[in-house]
């Protein structure tokens, strides 16, 4: 049993002294301090008197608040983790083996007692453990004492002048030190908490904010981007007294702008600077100085102090903080929980200066790390990535962005694209600057401050514009397939073309040649060149599958926006099967298996990446969504977690057929009887379509039969085959839909498949030819992104919501389309050409033997559908 701490130190846990004042305001009503104290005391009794390590899966709800306060008031060291990140929770449970785990409950947490006592040696001063890396589940934790929590809460309450009548909305997570400091500082002064997990883009949040007479909320830089979207600058919030900002650097121009908005509407903007290691805050910028000194972090919080320690070879020194809120130290394993104070001052790693007005300004990082877009970027790794490409470079930066100087002449635009993709940063966060020689100090070391100054001296180099005939057949194939080895006898299929590049190539060929034959993808470059007869046309003909994809995705978005109701998603499974069979079934078993896996990767990677972002930015999705498992383990009722059902079902299907065709006998059967094999798949699909057998296992929606119908159509070689697929379509489609507009839905699916069977091309106005091609190629990406785009634009206009969703989806497609090709082009450009000697093979053969051919080729990402 470990010693109990002096609990009187935690002033904000003495709740009952505030009596009947409102403590917590939620959608369900108001809880007074007296009532909250009763709940906390009751739950503290359940935790027991022997000190134990408690892990709380925290959310912005009453149960988590009660658990947090109960553990602190009873003296139990508390480890806070996000409730909505199960992987992080389980990682920390495994790393620290807590004695008690508190999970979300109704009003109070669900108590999971893992042992009656404690297996840990817990230092008497230890009160709270917070992660240093957000919600990743890293075992490195910050150890905070009772004195740390009380001192920082008192300091914040003092400079924000928090009074009992104040009420703060919980816009940040409870497990985040910034969000937690809002709770602590308000409870210390007997103020109220408007407890909610609603986003600031949700109109319900602002209804609650007004109804509860809230006076403040906390924001990180990204929050201000969201506030701009919802028109916060003109909102009528009569009780708002101030807004606080921390969690990263807010650009000076934005600080000045928002401070001005606050002045006009009667509220203050407090820009703050802090770290988990300082419990929360170390500095704040007084609101009346924000407009004049927007680039500074201000002055130390009450009770704290800064000093600037000189750094060799640098003009600015390192910012060092001292104060009662400095952590005890770090913990990286359970044994560290017994340690006492290991540090007395916090070396921030930030380079700073103090101006003539006594305000501190952070100008960079002493270490070779910067934090951008929420990511910790190793500047040394940036230089190593470029060095591997044969580029001598120096990387510097700040919270504003990454600044890279590259020595000599290089394609700066292409290097930027490669680097941004390698480190996971947005393109706009990387500034690439070509210099004749890297700036260096007299010691010969790189002058990193001079590198940083490049950002202000000159804009990054503009991308080069390629020249040449865009209608040249070879160029069309080279650009769309990212190939430089295009021969006269090559065909689209022999060059490993897939369904996404098929759209891009066919649209451009149609412009260069005219109406394409149905088997153009099997024609050689030489034959396509012979057919080149460009002419001006009012109407062009595009392949039916392309037009169906474009029309279907527009209908999907419009239906979700309620512009009109025309359900088309199921039709796209047939189109996906049709394209799969056309482009993925050629060649020997091993090569085509690799092609299947590449295609699957090109679908899954951009989908998972976007869904992960959606999961982090919203509360609409779960971890199952990120791993494309909601169709297997998700809720039975229709919720937002089913938004990405199409992606999941398509992934399941592609995994299944890839596994099937990897079996030697199945591979041989498919080659021997392509159409018969496809009909067999249709029969298998109809078993799930009509629920003939139920194995009692979780299973996805019955859509495989539609994919198999498309496969059968692509395998059809005679009129009898096509009539067979037509009859199967007419017989199997009716009755599958359970929607309110089931008849229209079923007729749409059947009509689309019949068009695919009997009409090889559809007329499209020539002026819309490229637009249709873009929409078809980007349909999967539009489907992904529109769930986050249209809710933002819908209040303005349904038409704008549809248009904006299409544009953003096409942009995401362009990004995913361009990035792999850019990487490969860059790699090709930095590998030196081999020396030519007498008797050397032709240039094309030599190119195939360079180091580049050890790197897997990454052509445009495949898209089987939507």
């Amino acid at each position: 049993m470990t010693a109990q701490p002096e609990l009187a130190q935690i002033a904000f846990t003495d709740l009952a002294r505030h009596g009947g004042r409102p403590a917590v305001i939620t959608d369900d009503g108001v809880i007074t301090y007296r009532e909250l104290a009763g709940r906390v005391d009751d739950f503290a009794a359940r935790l027991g008197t022997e000190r134990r390590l408690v892990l709380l899966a925290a959310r912005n709800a009453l149960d988590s608040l009660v658990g947090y306060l109960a553990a602190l008031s009873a003296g139990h060291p508390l480890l806070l983790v996000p409730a909505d990140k199960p992987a992080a929770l389980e990682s920390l449970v495994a790393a620290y083996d807590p004695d008690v785990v508190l999970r979300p409950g109704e009003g109070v947490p669900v108590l999971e007692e893992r042992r009656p006592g404690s297996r840990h040696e817990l230092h008497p001063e230890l009160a709270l453990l917070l992660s240093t890396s957000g919600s990743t589940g890293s075992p490195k934790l910050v150890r905070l004492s009772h004195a740390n929590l009380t001192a920082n809460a008192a300091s914040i309450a003092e400079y924000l002048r928090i009074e009992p009548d104040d009420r703060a909305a919980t816009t940040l997570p409870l497990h985040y030190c910034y969000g937690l400091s809002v709770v602590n500082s308000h409870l210390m002064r007997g103020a109220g908490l408007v407890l909610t997990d609603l986003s600031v883009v949700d109109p319900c949040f602002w209804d609650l904010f007004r109804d509860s007479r809230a006076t403040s909320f906390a924001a990180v830089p990204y929050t201000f981007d969201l506030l701009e979207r919802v028109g916060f600058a003109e909102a009528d919030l009569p009780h708002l007294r101030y807004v606080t900002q921390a969690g990263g650097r807010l650009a000076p121009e934005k600080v000045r702008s928002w401070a001005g908005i606050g002045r006009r509407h009667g509220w203050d903007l407090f820009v703050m600077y802090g770290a988990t290691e300082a419990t929360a805050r170390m500095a704040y910028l007084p609101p009346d100085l924000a407009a004049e000194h927007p680039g500074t972090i201000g002055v130390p919080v009450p009770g704290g102090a800064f000093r600037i320690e000189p750094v060799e070879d640098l003009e600015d020194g390192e910012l060092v903080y001292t104060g009662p809120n400095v952590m005890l130290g770090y913990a990286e394993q359970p044994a560290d929980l017994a340690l006492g104070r290991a540090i007395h001052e916090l070396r921030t790693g930030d380079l700073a200066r103090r101006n003539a007005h006594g305000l501190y300004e952070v100008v960079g990082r002493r270490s070779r790390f910067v934090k951008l877009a929420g990511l910790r970027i190793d500047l040394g790794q940036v230089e190593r990535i470029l060095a591997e490409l044969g580029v001598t470079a120096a990387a510097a930066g700040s919270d504003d962005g990454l600044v890279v100087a590259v020595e000599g002449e290089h394609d700066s635009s292409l290097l930027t694209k490669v680097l941004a993709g390698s480190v996971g940063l947005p393109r706009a966060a990387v500034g690439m600057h070509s210099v004749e020689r890297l700036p260096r100090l007299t010691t010969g070391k790189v002058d990193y401050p001079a590198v940083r100054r490049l950002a202000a001296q000159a804009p990054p180099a503009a991308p080069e514009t390629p020249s040449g005939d865009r209608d040249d057949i070879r160029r069309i194939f080279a650009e769309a397939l990212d190939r430089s080895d295009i021969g006269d006898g090559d065909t689209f299929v022999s060059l490993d073309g897939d369904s996404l590049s098929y759209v891009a190539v066919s649209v451009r060929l149609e412009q260069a040649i005219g109406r394409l034959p149905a088997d153009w993808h099997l024609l050689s470059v030489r034959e396509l060149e012979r057919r080149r007869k460009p002419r001006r046309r009012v109407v062009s003909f595009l392949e039916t599958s392309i037009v169906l994809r474009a029309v279907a995705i527009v209908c999907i978005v419009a239906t979700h926006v309620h512009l009109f109701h025309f359900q088309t998603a199921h039709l796209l499974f047939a189109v996906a099967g049709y394209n799969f069979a056309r482009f993925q079934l050629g060649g020997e078993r091993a090569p085509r298996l690799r092609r299947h896996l590449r295609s699957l990767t090109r679908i899954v990677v951009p989908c998972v990446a976007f869904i992960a972002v959606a999961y982090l930015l919203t509360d609409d999705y779960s971890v199952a969504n990120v791993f494309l498992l909601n169709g297997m383990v998700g809720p039975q009722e229709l919720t937002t977690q089913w938004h990405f059902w199409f992606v999941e079902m398509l992934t399941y299907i592609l995994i299944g057929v890839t596994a099937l065709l990897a079996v030697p006998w199945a591979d041989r059967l498919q080659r021997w009887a392509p159409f018969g094999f496809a009909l067999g798949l249709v029969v298998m699909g109809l078993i799930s379509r009509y629920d003939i057998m139920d194995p009692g296992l979780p299973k996805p929606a019955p859509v495989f039969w539609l994919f198999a119908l498309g496969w059968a159509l692509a395998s059809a070689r005679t009129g009898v085959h096509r009539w067979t697929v037509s009859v199967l379509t007419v017989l199997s489609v009716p009755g599958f839909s359970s929607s309110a507009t089931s008849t229209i839905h079923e007729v749409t699916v059947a009509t689309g498949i019949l068009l695919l069977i009997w009409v090889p091309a559809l007329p499209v106005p020539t002026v819309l030819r490229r637009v249709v091609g873009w929409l078809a190629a980007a349909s999967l990406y539009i489907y992904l992104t529109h769930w986050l785009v249209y809710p933002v634009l819908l209040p303005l206009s349904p038409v704008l919501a549809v248009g904006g969703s299409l544009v953003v989806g096409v942009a995401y497609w362009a990004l995913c389309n361009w990035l792999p090709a850019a990487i490969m082009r860059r790699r090709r450009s930095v590998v030196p050409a081999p020396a030519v000697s007498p008797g050397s093979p032709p240039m094309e053969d030599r190119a195939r033997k360079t180091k580049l051919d050890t790197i897997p080729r990454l052509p445009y990402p495949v898209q089987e559908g939507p």
Side-chain angles (χ1 to χ4, degrees):
M1 180 173 176
T2 55
Q4 280 280 11
E6 178 54 56
L7 300 183
Q9 293 178 357
I10 312 179
F12 58 82
T13 60
D14 185 8
L15 304 170
R17 65 192 174 97
H18 300 298
R21 298 197 60 82
V24 179
I25 300 98
T26 69
D27 281 328
D28 298 326
V30 177
I31 296 177
T32 67
Y33 271 92
R34 187 179 296 109
E35 292 168 336
L36 180 61
R39 295 194 188 201
V40 169
D41 291 344
D42 290 344
F43 197 78
R46 292 179 59 192
L47 290 173
T49 57
E50 180 179 355
R51 292 188 79 212
R52 297 191 288 177
L53 179 61
V54 178
L55 182 146
L56 171 62
R59 58 178 184 166
N60 286 10
L62 183 60
D63 59 309
S64 294
L65 181 63
V66 169
Y68 167 70
L69 294 171
L72 289 184
S73 64
H76 300 286
L78 182 66
L79 170 54
L80 280 182
V81 299
D84 60 346
K85 299 291 185 291
L89 188 152
E90 296 308 321
S91 174
L92 287 168
V93 167
Y96 281 91
D97 190 18
D99 305 309
V100 178
V101 174
L102 306 182
R103 302 183 187 272
E106 294 296 328
V108 294
V110 175
L111 191 152
E112 178 187 313
E113 190 172 53
R114 306 181 78 223
R115 58 184 61 87
S118 178
R119 67 174 294 270
H120 299 285
E121 184 69 24
L122 304 169
H123 192 275
E125 293 183 46
L126 182 62
L128 187 65
L129 296 158
L130 296 177
S131 173
T132 62
S133 56
S135 56
T136 64
S138 167
K140 186 174 183 179
L141 304 175
V142 169
R143 295 183 292 117
L144 300 174
S145 69
H146 305 85
N148 289 154
L149 295 173
T150 297
N152 203 235
S155 174
I156 294 170
E158 179 181 341
Y159 72 74
L160 291 180
R161 302 184 302 279
I162 298 175
E163 301 295 338
D165 290 336
D166 282 315
R167 296 178 178 182
T170 56
T171 47
L172 300 171
L174 191 65
H175 68 269
Y176 176 30
C177 69
Y178 183 12
L180 195 63
S181 71
V182 174
V183 171
N184 296 344
S185 56
H186 282 73
L187 293 179
M188 174 168 282
R189 292 293 182 91
L193 296 172
V194 181
L195 196 58
T196 178
D197 61 357
L198 293 171
S199 167
V200 295
V201 299
D202 191 330
C204 295
F205 172 85
W206 297 109
D207 291 341
L208 177 62
F209 195 92
R210 292 185 189 91
D211 294 344
S212 59
R213 304 168 70 90
T215 59
S216 70
F217 65 89
V220 295
Y222 178 66
T223 308
F224 289 95
D225 295 334
L226 300 179
L227 292 176
E228 289 176 357
R229 294 186 197 173
V230 299
F232 170 78
E234 303 304 323
D236 181 21
L237 301 170
H239 301 285
L240 178 61
R241 188 165 71 82
Y242 63 86
V243 176
T244 63
Q245 182 273 315
R249 185 174 186 267
L250 187 64
E253 61 272 16
K254 288 199 171 186
V255 172
R256 186 179 287 110
S257 173
W258 284 105
I261 291 170
R263 280 197 308 272
R264 292 194 297 274
H265 290 271
W267 52 265
D268 290 327
L269 174 66
F270 283 86
V271 175
M272 306 186 299
Y273 168 82
T276 308
E277 289 85 346
T279 309
R281 307 275 71 82
M282 290 184 281
Y284 74 99
L285 180 61
D288 57 334
L289 300 178
E292 188 177 352
H293 303 280
T296 69
I297 61 171
V299 297
V301 298
F306 285 129
R307 65 182 174 85
I308 296 177
E309 183 173 288
V311 177
E312 185 180 0
D313 292 331
L314 293 179
E315 178 183 349
D316 301 298
E318 181 179 10
L319 189 65
V320 181
Y321 176 81
T322 56
N325 52 319
V326 173
M327 66 175 179
L328 299 174
Y330 291 111
E332 298 189 65
Q333 57 186 342
D336 295 338
L337 304 183
L339 301 177
R341 180 166 291 280
I343 67 170
H344 296 275
E345 61 181 15
L346 183 62
R347 306 182 72 85
T348 67
D350 287 326
L351 298 175
R353 60 180 66 136
R354 186 170 182 263
N355 67 20
H357 301 276
L359 303 177
Y360 289 85
E361 179 183 0
V362 172
V363 296
R365 293 286 295 171
R366 176 177 181 176
S367 69
R368 299 292 289 143
F369 291 89
V370 293
K371 192 170 185 180
L372 294 168
L375 300 174
R376 190 172 169 85
I377 304 299
D378 182 347
L379 297 177
Q381 181 192 24
V382 169
E383 294 175 356
R384 289 191 294 273
I385 290 171
L386 294 173
E388 289 174 0
L389 297 175
V391 178
T392 301
S398 66
D399 289 347
D400 286 329
L402 187 63
V403 183
V404 182
V406 294
E407 195 170 84
E409 292 297 326
H410 295 279
D411 184 341
S412 296
S413 178
L414 190 54
L415 283 181
T416 301
K417 298 170 187 176
V418 173
L419 183 59
S422 299
V423 299
L425 284 175
R427 166 68 177 82
V430 180
M432 192 76 62
H433 302 266
S434 295
V435 295
E436 185 177 353
R437 291 284 183 270
L438 294 182
R440 297 186 181 275
L441 302 168
T442 54
T443 60
K445 296 180 181 178
V446 173
D447 185 352
Y448 286 106
V451 173
R452 280 196 299 275
R453 288 194 292 271
L454 290 173
Q457 292 173 3
E464 297 178 3
T465 302
S467 59
D469 181 4
R470 287 188 53 80
D471 287 340
D472 178 76
I473 304 300
R474 288 175 183 273
R475 175 167 178 167
I476 291 172
F477 275 92
E479 291 182 351
L481 301 177
D482 190 34
R483 297 287 292 262
S484 59
D485 54 344
I486 310 296
D488 285 345
D490 286 325
T491 68
F492 178 81
V493 172
S494 72
L495 292 169
D496 286 339
D498 52 44
S499 65
L500 178 60
S501 51
Y502 179 86
V503 173
V505 173
S506 64
V507 170
R508 291 182 60 182
L509 284 179
E510 199 274 340
Q511 181 181 16
I513 295 175
R515 185 168 180 175
L516 293 174
D519 63 345
W520 73 262
H521 54 292
L522 302 176
L523 299 179
S524 68
V525 171
R526 183 187 303 108
E527 176 61 26
L528 290 171
E529 287 281 8
R530 288 198 198 104
R531 295 175 179 237
R532 183 176 177 183
K533 298 174 182 177
R535 60 188 184 277
R536 297 182 64 86
R537 298 174 304 278
V538 176
V539 174
S540 301
F541 282 83
L542 288 180
E543 184 182 295
T544 300
S545 67
I546 295 175
V547 178
L548 288 179
R549 283 163 66 172
V551 172
I553 194 60
V554 173
C555 290
I556 288 170
V557 177
T559 296
H560 293 159
V561 171
H562 301 295
L563 186 62
F564 57 80
H565 291 273
F566 206 67
Q567 297 176 331
T568 52
H570 285 83
L571 169 61
L572 293 174
F573 282 104
V575 177
Y578 177 69
N579 286 331
F580 178 88
R582 295 173 74 197
F583 307 127
Q584 298 295 315
L585 296 183
E588 296 300 320
R589 184 165 65 90
R592 85 174 182 181
L593 178 59
R594 289 194 293 270
R595 188 161 61 245
H596 296 337
L597 294 175
R598 285 200 305 269
S599 297
L600 186 61
T601 300
R602 293 169 202 150
I603 291 174
V604 170
V605 170
C607 291
V608 167
F610 182 81
I611 296 171
V613 172
Y615 168 62
L616 294 172
L617 295 182
T618 74
D619 298 319
D620 295 334
Y621 309 112
S622 68
V623 173
N625 287 120
V626 177
F627 291 99
L628 304 181
L629 293 175
N630 185 70
M632 295 290 189
V633 301
Q636 294 297 312
E637 66 275 14
L638 190 63
T639 69
T640 56
Q641 294 178 32
W642 283 94
H643 280 173
F644 303 106
W645 73 273
F646 186 98
V647 176
E648 294 184 4
M649 299 307 124
L650 181 60
T651 301
Y652 300 162
I653 289 171
L654 293 178
I655 290 174
V657 296
T658 299
L660 177 62
L661 292 174
V663 179
W665 66 262
D667 176 77
R668 289 194 297 270
L669 180 60
Q670 190 277 325
R671 294 174 191 278
W672 177 67
F675 185 71
F677 185 89
L679 283 185
L681 294 179
V682 174
V683 173
M684 291 173 56
L686 290 175
I687 292 175
S688 64
R689 154 73 178 89
Y690 291 106
D691 205 18
I692 296 173
M693 290 192 306
D694 184 4
L697 300 172
K699 58 181 183 296
V703 292
F704 176 68
W705 113 92
L706 292 169
F707 183 94
L709 280 174
W711 186 330
L713 169 59
S715 303
R717 293 294 178 265
T718 68
V720 173
H721 290 170
R722 287 192 289 275
W723 275 110
T724 301
V725 177
S726 300
V727 170
L728 285 172
T729 298
V730 172
L731 292 178
S732 62
V733 169
F736 87 93
S737 176
S738 59
S739 67
T741 56
S742 59
T743 301
I744 297 176
H745 187 187
E746 292 161 5
V747 169
T748 301
V749 173
T751 301
I753 296 175
L754 292 175
L755 283 173
L756 205 59
I757 295 171
W758 296 107
V759 182
L762 291 171
V764 173
T766 300
V767 294
L768 296 179
R769 181 185 59 244
R770 293 228 170 181
V771 174
V772 171
W774 292 336
L775 294 177
S779 52
L780 178 64
Y781 303 86
I782 295 169
Y783 177 85
L784 276 173
T785 57
H786 88 285
W787 294 112
L788 296 192
V789 176
Y790 84 77
V792 177
L793 300 176
L794 186 56
L796 301 176
S797 164
V799 174
L800 181 62
V802 173
S805 297
L806 299 180
V807 170
V808 172
V810 170
Y812 186 48
W813 160 71
L815 174 66
C816 297
N817 195 358
W818 156 83
L819 186 58
I823 291 174
M824 295 313 302
R825 286 196 296 272
R826 182 61 240 171
R827 287 181 174 176
R828 292 191 184 104
S829 69
V830 298
V831 175
V836 181
S837 59
S840 294
M843 179 61 72
E844 289 185 359
D845 292 337
R846 292 202 310 273
R848 291 188 177 93
K849 296 177 182 178
T850 64
K851 177 182 175 182
L852 287 172
D853 282 314
T854 66
I855 304 171
R857 193 174 67 82
L858 297 174
Y860 289 5
V862 71
Q863 180 188 320
E864 306 299 346

